[in-house]
Amino acid sequence: MATIELRHAHSLETEEARRRSRALVDQFADKLKAAVLGEPQNIDNRWQLAQTYMKVSAYPQAVSELQAIVRISPDNLRALQLLGQAAARMDNWELAANTWQKAFQVSPDDTGKQGLFEARLKLYQDKKPFHAANSQE
């Protein structure tokens, strides 16, 4: 009985810690949003905001910030990589593949990244028929 009570108490503490952590992340995101509004062309602020959104699984918001970075700086490899990841986590495989293809074009001589981009494109090709088949059910 005591073990169950301890587990329950621990789970409440863990949940409270998660709530506090999320509140801090939300406060940080609010400050970054204000900074982005003040300086919309500032890539560093947008990058930090996108990373913050990724940490809390707010992928649509991350995609929006990353797309803004890519509009400002079309060859920003770091933004392209994270944009592809965010799109994939949303199961938007078409955006992910297009983004990874662009990243591959930006950095064709980087053999380490070349393999990664090729693997991600293969993943898209493998997922695409799966999603198409399931959407017809």
Side-chain angles (χ1 to χ4, degrees), residues 33-135:
K33 284 189 261 186
V36 165
L37 286 174
E39 292 182 77
Q41 299 297 313
N42 186 315
I43 291 173
D44 291 332
N45 289 340
R46 287 189 180 277
W47 175 253
Q48 287 184 357
L49 185 55
Q51 286 184 307
T52 301
Y53 285 140
M54 290 293 290
K55 286 179 184 169
V56 296
S57 302
Y59 303 122
Q61 294 88 339
V63 165
S64 178
E65 291 304 322
L66 292 161
Q67 286 175 325
I69 292 171
V70 171
R71 279 191 300 275
I72 296 165
S73 177
D75 293 341
N76 188 315
L77 186 59
R78 187 172 68 158
L80 290 166
Q81 290 170 330
L82 194 58
L83 176 56
Q85 290 175 18
R89 291 198 177 146
M90 292 171 40
D91 286 334
N92 186 338
W93 294 102
E94 186 172 352
L95 176 60
N98 290 338
T99 302
W100 291 327
Q101 184 64 44
K102 169 69 174 164
F104 178 70
Q105 292 168 357
V106 167
S107 183
D109 297 329
D110 188 336
T111 56
K113 288 186 176 77
Q114 181 180 18
L116 177 64
F117 296 147
E118 287 174 354
R120 287 179 174 166
L121 288 170
K122 173 75 170 109
L123 175 66
Y124 164 67
Q125 292 165 350
D126 291 346
K127 292 275 187 185
K128 189 175 180 182
F130 173 77
H131 287 294
N134 286 337
S135 66

